[in-house]
Every structure is written in C-alpha cells, then in structure tokens.
Amino acid sequence: MILPDLDNYPVLKWTGFKWLLDRRVPVETLISLTPIRSIRGVIAHDGRFDEDPEGEMFLAFREVEDVVFWRPGSEQIGTWLGRSFALNEDVITDSSTYLFGNLNIYRSPLDWLRNACDGIVILDWMRAFERLRDCPRIAISEDILFQYQRHMQPLHMPELLVITTGKAVAA
C-alpha cells in the first residue's frame, strides 16, 4: 500500500494554530512542523485512518513508513497503514536521544507537542516491549505509568522445565 502524498492536503488554518497555541504548544514547535497538514476523515475499528470529506479534522504527521493522524481535542489517533507503533518513533533508535537525556513517552500528541516533540506517543501498546526493551533510559508521563508497566514484559515466555536426575520436570 502506498502512503498518501501529504503535500496534496490543505495546510492547517489559523484557527487550528490558534487552538494549539491556546493549549500551550510553543510557537517554535509549530513553526518547526510547518507545513502542518489537516485531513478530514474517521478512524476505523482497526485503527486505520479513512479519508472522509464529511469526517472530523485530523492533523497528519509523517513517519518513516506510515502516517499518523490525530484529531485535536480528542484521544483519537490512527495510522494509514498500521505500521507505526508510536508517533515520532524514529527517535527510539537515534543515539542522540540518549546522549544527554531519555526517551520521553507522553500520553497524548498534545502533551508531545507541548514538549517540543521531544519523545514519542505510543499508539500500539502491544508492541511496546519489543520496540522499547533496548532503550537505555525512558522517562514516562505519570498518568500512563501503570499502562507502561503492564506492557513492558514479553508477550510470550517459554515453558520452563528443570532437569533433575536426568528428567525434565515443571518448574
């Protein structure tokens, strides 16, 4: 499947910028993201974004292999292809992320924007352990700490047997 060409979509209007500024997103952050694209659509049951001219307005964030869509003022987040596990996920493997700091994990795109896009927003917690287990340092928003702790363990562990007197028995 092919990614949408975001350059074909409208630029976020002043009212959208004003909404973000009113919620303490630094103007420098908004300038660095310019042009921010807005697209009308809906998030389907599978978490994928579907364009719909009658739908709600979403902001689009380009990822390496996907596009992440967020509806401001809500918790609605979706992707185009379902490949992205997090918003801004390329910083996870960027060594400069850990040079003088941590990988910051925020609860929402608005929190991420308020903090100059310094970190990630997890979209798919089922993939968190595999994608984050090699990170040297992580700082996380307190309000998602329980969710992080619950998901930061392998999905499957092998059955463990102990060898005693030549026989393997359940541990």
Side-chain angles (χ1 to χ4, degrees), residues 68-94:
V68 173
F69 298 89
W70 168 58
R71 187 169 76 103
S74 78
E75 299 294 320
Q76 281 193 300
I77 304 171
T79 63
W80 187 259
L81 297 174
R83 291 181 182 163
S84 286
F85 120 91
L87 175 59
N88 202 32
E89 66 185 59
D90 58 322
V91 300
I92 296 168
T93 56
D94 185 344

Side-chain angles (χ1 to χ4, degrees), residues 9-10 13 38-43 49-58 80:
Y9 294 96
K13 295 180 181 172
S38 62
I39 302 172
R40 292 201 167 274
V42 296
I43 303 295
F49 180 81
D50 290 329
E51 284 185 73
D52 180 351
E54 303 300 316
E56 299 291 333
M57 191 272 294
F58 286 79
W80 187 259

Side-chain angles (χ1 to χ4, degrees), residues 12-34 36 59 70 72-73 109-110 113-115:
L12 183 64
K13 295 180 181 172
W14 168 246
T15 54
F17 273 100
K18 176 99 172 71
W19 186 91
L20 292 165
L21 289 170
D22 289 347
R23 279 145 188 88
R24 303 183 329 270
V25 175
V27 69
E28 298 83 6
T29 299
L30 295 175
I31 290 170
S32 73
L33 293 173
T34 303
I36 300 173
L59 301 184
W70 168 58
L110 184 57
L113 289 165
R114 285 178 178 149
N115 288 281

Side-chain angles (χ1 to χ4, degrees), residues 5 7 15 21 30 32 41 61 81 97 111 129 148 154-155 161:
D5 183 1
D7 293 335
T15 54
L21 289 170
L30 295 175
S32 73
F61 299 96
L81 297 174
T97 299
D111 291 340
F129 177 77
Y148 173 85
L155 291 176
L161 303 173

